[in-house]
Amino acid sequence: MRSQSSVSGKVLDSLEIPVSYQPIALLDAKDSSVLKGVLTDDAGKYQFEKIKQGNYLLKVIASGFKIKFSEVFKVDSLDTFEAPDLQLKSSDISLNEVSVTVMKKTIEFKNGNITVNIEDSPLAVGNSLYDLLSKLPGVTVIDDAISINGKAGVRILIDERIQQYSGQQLITLL
């Protein structure tokens, strides 16, 4: 039964230099739906495994280049189909600057610790640390004793330093 093959090839720029670590999609030729996606390796090579017989085309969207589509090709054997090299053309758009912004999660669970990041949080506006602490799910403050899910002996860290205060002193501090 001849049912699956592989498709491989190479992505190059206009100077025939390999384009590394860029996404490439295998599309169904009938409706252009994306069937699989891979990244090119450091030599600009890619390979799609376990491809059924049929008609396909490739699509490459690489930063700094125009979108590139291959010609429609037919896969009809168990052998590897070697697609012609895809040569990308530079786009007319040039980026001067790229900005990456990362936002911390408000509540993180790591190494058995629960970390509440209140910096830049709308929860912090107009509330004291004590107010924020008492509003957290599972945290109970009764008679100067802080417990989490009913467990006493909670360690409070501020700026990653354990606070060595009694219950009343800690509540006054917060």
Side-chain angles (χ1 to χ4, degrees):
M1 181 170 115
R2 299 193 291 153
S3 64
Q4 295 187 338
S5 184
S6 65
V7 174
S8 63
K10 196 171 190 179
V11 179
L12 306 170
D13 66 9
S14 59
L15 300 174
E16 297 193 7
I17 297 172
V19 179
S20 305
Y21 308 111
Q22 295 299 321
I24 182 166
L26 180 70
L27 308 177
D28 188 336
K30 288 185 287 187
D31 59 5
S32 297
S33 61
V34 177
L35 301 174
K36 289 189 175 200
V38 295
L39 289 177
T40 59
D41 65 10
D42 59 346
K45 294 180 181 178
Y46 62 87
Q47 184 163 1
F48 293 96
E49 299 285 342
K50 300 180 182 176
I51 305 301
K52 295 180 181 178
Q53 294 180 10
N55 294 321
Y56 302 98
L57 68 144
L58 300 166
K59 179 180 180 181
V60 181
I61 301 176
S63 179
F65 297 97
K66 293 181 180 178
I67 296 173
K68 175 73 175 181
F69 288 92
S70 72
E71 297 293 323
V72 174
F73 58 90
K74 185 174 185 171
V75 175
D76 62 0
S77 71
L78 290 175
D79 297 331
T80 297
F81 176 82
E82 187 69 32
D85 290 347
L86 293 171
Q87 196 163 19
L88 304 180
K89 294 181 183 175
S90 294
S91 68
D92 298 334
I93 299 172
S94 178
L95 299 177
N96 293 330
E97 182 177 321
V98 175
S99 177
V100 178
T101 305
V102 177
M103 294 179 63
K104 284 186 177 180
K105 292 180 182 178
T106 304
I107 299 176
E108 296 178 25
F109 299 94
K110 191 183 335 178
N111 300 329
N113 295 326
I114 302 169
T115 303
V116 182
N117 298 307
I118 58 168
E119 177 180 9
D120 300 326
S121 170
L123 296 173
V125 177
N127 289 315
S128 68
L129 284 174
Y130 176 79
D131 295 334
L132 292 172
L133 187 65
S134 62
K135 291 179 183 178
L136 291 174
V139 176
T140 309
V141 181
I142 300 174
D143 297 330
D144 303 334
I146 301 170
S147 63
I148 297 178
N149 293 330
K151 295 180 183 177
V154 175
R155 293 184 303 168
I156 304 291
L157 285 79
I158 299 176
D159 293 329
E160 299 182 20
R161 293 185 182 147
I162 295 177
Q163 301 303 307
Q164 302 290 338
Y165 296 109
S166 68
Q168 180 58 45
Q169 290 173 328
L170 186 59
I171 289 174
T172 302
L173 174 70
L174 298 176

